[in-house]
Amino acid sequence: MKIPVEKNKEYIVDIIDNGFEGEGIAKIDNFTIFIPNSIKGEKVKVLIVKVLSSHAFGKVIEIIKKSNKRVESDCKTYKRCGGCELRHIEYKETLKMKQNAVQSLVNKTLKNKIQVQEVLGMENPYYYRNKVQFPVGTDKNEALQMGVYASRTHEIIPIEKCYIQNQKAEKLAKIVFKYWKENNLSAYNEKTQKGLLRHIIVKVGIKTNEYMCILVVNNEKIPNEKQFTEYIKKEFPEITTIVMNTNKKNTNVILGENNRNILGNGYIKDKLGDYTFKISPLSFYQVNPIQAEKLYKIGVDQAKITKNDIVFDLYCGIGTISLFMSKYAKKVYGVEIVKEAIEAAKENAKINNIQNTEFLAGDVEKVLTKLLKERNIKPDIIVVDPPRKGLDKVTIKNILNVRPRKLVYISCNPATLVRDLKELEEEYDIGGIKPVDMFPFTKHVECCAVLELKNCQ
């Protein structure tokens, strides 16, 4: 087949659909072109920037016919930073796009073409993130910079205002950066691997109003720590704790393994539903707690747990879902590979005076096998909330062997969710898929699917 487009040439195309990442889709002689920042129904002039054998990528040069769903973005940097791919589209329309994207995956993959439910959106889809993390570096003139990485690069874009970050968390990060500049302190250079400050991270307890600042540094200490902490306390009196995280590795991983508290006790707390959670520098906690609470409630309500039920919560993190389900279950076993998260889960159970949970550290596949075969514990309900890669084949095999009455699958990646549901749909009825918009204006969507064993007596 002759490819009908050439790199660096311009074409006028009609956008016939939007893809899973919000990009527009056009065709020339049945050849697919993906075009970011375009909307279904628009006619655009594009510059072809990359050509592959099966498809090409284009960049919008001019919008000839504009969609009535297009809005002028309120953010000056969104096109470059890549964080909010859908910021040029009306919010309600982005919810429909996400629902359609999940439905498309269902239609392509599952035998049972279930209807994906409407996406549960936010009433106020702004300033929702409870964690900010800004890289620090230098520009061409060696001047200090803090901001966000440009899409698919490590070039730092200075940011005036982010519309999805917590405003006070962003203010605290800017205060730290101001101190760094005023005291002529250095930033880490990825090429030379020299310099001090790599990232400024702020975590917020939305309901407790507690603030943690984490300095990720290429050293064990920073100059004049006492002066620094006094400055932060004066400029931001709400500060709860400051932690210095040492990361000397040449890596894209943001946090190192070693933390040292230079103010406070090294953690904050927040409330999710009826429960209080302790949040440490390395522990995972949902970045949109408002929507997380709704997501977990959907899972708990649809699972219809009884006081006779034993629940396995795989990939349990710091125990958020485990604690939510413990109220209704006989016993909940949480499994997680990150040891620090398991210690936090145990502590969270203690903080909330919950007696019917047990948390185990280790690879899910191995711990699950141990619970089933060595301890002979059979779950009535299994909850999974895996990373983006989804469930491994051994865990799916174990689930099918154990045949729990219900399976609650919470997913941050609809593609791997639907892939895994295909492996389970012979044995399980999929009651439905409910998407929840945890990350407004981005391409991401979380989903909750509840499966029930067929012919369950």
Side-chain angles (χ1 to χ4, degrees):
M1 172 188 171
K2 185 176 183 298
I3 295 174
V5 296
E6 292 180 41
K7 186 178 177 180
N8 296 329
K9 285 204 169 182
E10 294 179 3
Y11 300 84
I12 293 174
V13 295
D14 293 311
I15 306 301
I16 57 172
D17 206 351
N18 282 97
F20 186 64
E21 296 191 354
E23 73 281 17
I25 297 173
K27 286 187 183 284
I28 294 179
D29 294 342
N30 215 31
F31 186 79
T32 302
I33 306 161
F34 296 107
I35 307 158
N37 302 314
S38 60
I39 306 172
K40 182 179 178 179
E42 291 187 328
K43 184 185 283 287
V44 296
K45 182 187 282 187
V46 299
L47 175 71
I48 300 298
V49 294
K50 188 175 183 180
V51 180
L52 302 173
S53 59
S54 58
H55 58 277
F57 295 90
K59 175 183 173 184
V60 174
I61 301 298
E62 179 188 347
I63 300 171
I64 297 165
K65 178 190 170 190
K66 188 185 288 190
S67 166
N68 61 3
K69 305 298 181 187
R70 179 175 286 277
V71 293
E72 286 304 314
S73 172
D74 45 11
C75 177
K76 294 178 182 176
T77 56
Y78 96 97
K79 284 186 181 179
R80 291 192 65 206
C81 97
C84 299
E85 302 92 340
L86 310 181
R87 196 145 209 103
H88 57 292
I89 305 170
E90 282 180 359
Y91 180 59
K92 284 186 178 177
E93 185 65 18
T94 69
L95 301 181
K96 290 178 188 172
M97 287 170 62
K98 292 181 183 189
Q99 181 186 0
N100 291 340
V102 181
Q103 187 68 60
S104 176
L105 289 167
V106 166
N107 294 346
K108 287 176 188 172
T109 312
L110 299 183
K111 286 180 184 174
N112 180 14
K113 312 298 184 194
I114 57 170
Q115 179 62 43
V116 174
Q117 296 169 40
E118 288 185 3
V119 179
L120 180 61
M122 290 191 79
E123 289 176 27
N124 179 21
Y126 296 91
Y127 310 116
Y128 56 81
R129 286 183 60 92
N130 61 6
K131 180 176 82 168
V132 307
Q133 47 189 42
F134 291 136
V136 180
T138 56
D139 63 14
K140 293 172 186 174
N141 301 315
E142 298 300 313
L144 278 186
Q145 284 196 123
M146 178 190 80
V148 292
Y149 287 130
S151 181
R152 304 180 196 281
T153 75
H154 271 208
E155 178 195 349
I156 295 174
I157 305 169
I159 195 160
E160 288 178 28
K161 181 178 185 178
C162 178
Y163 287 87
I164 64 172
Q165 306 281 15
N166 179 278
Q167 290 172 285
K168 292 196 80 172
E170 187 176 295
K171 178 185 174 185
L172 175 53
K174 286 179 176 176
I175 289 168
V176 173
F177 182 65
K178 184 181 174 209
Y179 175 89
W180 224 256
K181 285 210 305 187
E182 287 177 352
N183 288 272
N184 295 315
L185 297 173
S186 65
Y188 180 72
N189 184 307
E190 288 183 343
K191 291 178 182 175
T192 64
Q193 295 174 43
K194 292 181 179 176
L196 187 55
L197 185 60
R198 299 175 72 133
H199 277 82
I200 300 168
I201 301 173
V202 179
K203 293 188 176 188
V204 188
I206 298 293
K207 291 187 178 174
T208 59
N209 203 35
E210 295 185 4
Y211 294 84
M212 173 195 293
C213 178
I214 306 163
L215 303 180
V216 184
V217 292
N218 184 37
N219 207 329
E220 279 82 21
K221 58 184 180 179
I222 62 172
N224 302 315
E225 281 180 11
K226 189 176 179 185
Q227 176 186 311
F228 171 73
T229 56
E230 291 301 320
Y231 178 90
I232 300 300
K233 282 196 289 184
K234 182 178 175 226
E235 296 293 318
F236 196 89
E238 303 99 314
I239 189 72
T240 306
T241 189
I242 302 174
V243 178
M244 197 178 74
N245 176 274
T246 299
N247 185 358
K248 294 182 178 182
K249 293 181 180 176
N250 182 17
T251 174
N252 287 334
V253 177
I254 292 174
L255 287 165
E257 294 176 2
N258 298 318
N259 294 307
R260 185 165 62 84
N261 306 336
I262 59 176
L263 177 71
N265 50 23
Y267 65 86
I268 57 172
K269 290 179 180 175
D270 197 16
K271 288 187 76 70
L272 205 61
D274 298 329
Y275 306 101
T276 299
F277 292 93
K278 180 179 173 181
I279 303 159
S280 67
L282 298 179
S283 63
F284 172 78
Y285 184 68
Q286 289 283 8
V287 297
N288 185 341
I290 294 166
Q291 293 296 87
E293 198 171 312
K294 294 175 185 175
L295 177 70
Y296 296 159
K297 189 175 186 307
I298 290 166
V300 170
D301 289 350
Q302 293 189 8
K304 294 184 171 62
I305 306 164
T306 74
K307 282 294 178 186
N308 296 318
D309 286 332
I310 290 173
V311 179
F312 283 5
D313 177 12
L314 310 183
Y315 313 94
C316 70
I318 62 171
T320 43
I321 302 173
S322 298
L323 299 197
F324 267 69
M325 294 196 162
S326 67
K327 181 178 179 181
Y328 307 95
K330 181 180 180 181
K331 183 85 182 255
V332 180
Y333 295 87
V335 182
E336 169 64 53
I337 197 166
V338 180
K339 286 182 181 177
E340 191 196 48
I342 285 293
E343 291 308 310
K346 290 175 181 176
E347 197 158 347
N348 287 329
K350 197 180 290 183
I351 289 167
N352 292 282
N353 197 27
I354 290 171
Q355 312 290 330
N356 63 334
T357 57
E358 183 179 333
F359 294 100
L360 303 109
D363 184 270
V364 164
E365 174 192 323
K366 292 175 184 172
V367 177
L368 182 55
T369 304
K370 186 175 180 180
L371 282 169
L372 296 170
K373 293 185 177 175
E374 292 181 26
R375 295 180 59 181
N376 200 28
I377 301 168
K378 185 179 184 300
D380 301 288
I381 297 169
I382 290 181
V383 184
V384 293
D385 186 3
R388 291 191 64 77
K389 64 181 180 180
L391 298 176
D392 60 78
K393 289 184 186 277
V394 175
T395 301
I396 291 176
K397 187 179 174 184
N398 274 329
I399 290 168
L400 290 171
N401 285 340
V402 175
R403 293 167 62 83
R405 186 178 79 252
K406 284 194 177 174
L407 174 69
V408 179
Y409 193 140
I410 291 172
S411 168
C412 59
N413 184 350
T416 54
L417 166 68
V418 174
R419 179 202 70 195
D420 293 344
L421 293 182
K422 184 184 178 184
E423 299 294 316
L424 295 159
E425 69 174 335
E426 290 295 326
E427 296 290 331
Y428 283 86
D429 287 319
I430 304 165
I433 298 175
K434 179 66 175 177
V436 177
D437 196 25
M438 296 278 280
F439 311 103
F441 297 113
T442 77
K443 63 189 177 187
H444 302 292
V445 64
E446 297 253 342
C447 293
C448 180
V450 179
L451 289 71
E452 189 157 1
L453 189 65
K454 291 179 180 179
N455 306 316
C456 183
Q457 299 300 320

